[in-house]
Amino acid sequence: MALTIQSSFVIAAPPATAWTILTDIERAAPCFPGAQLLGRNDDGSWRASFGVKLGPMNFSFAGKFHLDDVDAASSRVVVKAQGSDTKGRGGARADVNMRLQPEGAGTRAEIISSVDLSGAVAQFGRGAGMIEALSRQLMDQFAANLQQSIGEIPKTEPDSHGPAQAGSLALPSAASPPAVASLDAGSLMWRALAASVKGWFARLIGRRS
């Protein structure tokens, strides 16, 4: 089951700072809901696990990922990831293209993910619209956790030579990352479903007007 998912989020940091934070794997990875960084492989890739709780059922995925095609000049990076359920119920591969761009005083991360699900995981993931809505919920949580980890970026006060420049903002020290816990997909599913229904009504009203 192949999917292309588009999502985005904004963090309160200038692009240069956001790039440094988001490409710091040891800092950013633990902020993703349900994820745990397990170490680095000899080939430079990272080992990771991902826990998902759906109602009474718990799923645990193990896999690896690495940064590919890192282009700091254009603030673009591709993350290649693969993983499988530890009980053999399927797996997933993903190419995640992320590009940063300024938005106001912060930075927007635009993400296009090409995902291929297999086995029982693909059955679980049926319904591209629901998976896209679920992905956006995950990114929203990731952004919130990341912002909590880095803290608000303090604005430099203007001096006698004029207003402060965005590049003069200091990178804050990392706070403790959020505690790792299995992602409660049930709760996210309900929120994703509500978002899908809201979008459907908005399109329906738009066609009638």
Side-chain angles (χ1 to χ4, degrees):
M1 177 182 178
L3 298 170
T4 298
I5 303 171
Q6 298 188 33
S7 54
S8 67
F9 61 86
V10 176
I11 59 174
T17 303
W19 174 261
T20 299
I21 295 167
L22 288 167
T23 54
D24 182 345
I25 298 300
E26 292 179 307
R27 187 174 191 174
C31 294
F32 197 83
Q36 184 174 17
L37 197 62
L38 302 177
R40 199 161 193 179
N41 299 312
D42 293 338
D43 63 1
S45 63
W46 294 85
R47 298 187 305 278
S49 65
F50 180 64
V52 182
K53 181 180 181 186
L54 181 61
M57 299 183 67
N58 287 283
F59 297 87
S60 180
F61 296 88
K64 65 178 182 178
F65 68 92
H66 69 278
L67 301 185
D68 186 62
D69 193 16
V70 180
D71 187 349
S74 61
S75 299
R76 178 182 175 275
V77 63
V78 178
V79 181
K80 292 184 176 289
Q82 63 182 68
S84 57
D85 176 60
T86 56
K87 294 184 179 180
R89 292 172 290 186
R93 291 177 177 270
D95 287 355
V96 181
N97 291 264
M98 180 177 71
R99 186 165 190 170
L100 305 183
Q101 59 185 20
E103 181 161 307
T107 302
R108 177 173 292 276
E110 295 285 354
I111 301 168
I112 301 177
S113 303
S114 299
V115 182
D116 189 9
L117 305 177
S118 61
V121 178
Q123 295 295 322
F124 168 72
R126 285 191 180 278
M130 181 63 71
I131 293 298
E132 289 179 13
L134 182 60
S135 175
R136 293 188 188 98
Q137 295 285 346
L138 283 173
M139 287 301 174
D140 286 346
Q141 283 199 11
F142 172 65
N145 290 342
L146 191 68
Q147 193 68 63
Q148 179 183 351
S149 174
I150 66 176
E152 292 292 335
I153 305 298
K155 293 183 179 180
T156 303
E157 293 296 329
D159 56 23
S160 58
H161 299 290
Q165 300 298 313
S168 66
L169 298 180
L171 176 65
S173 58
S176 299
V180 174
S182 292
L183 173 66
D184 188 348
S187 173
L188 285 179
M189 279 290 191
W190 280 113
R191 277 185 280 170
L193 179 60
S196 296
V197 171
K198 182 179 179 181
W200 180 82
F201 273 112
R203 291 192 296 272
L204 180 63
I205 293 173
R207 287 197 297 267
R208 290 180 175 178
S209 59

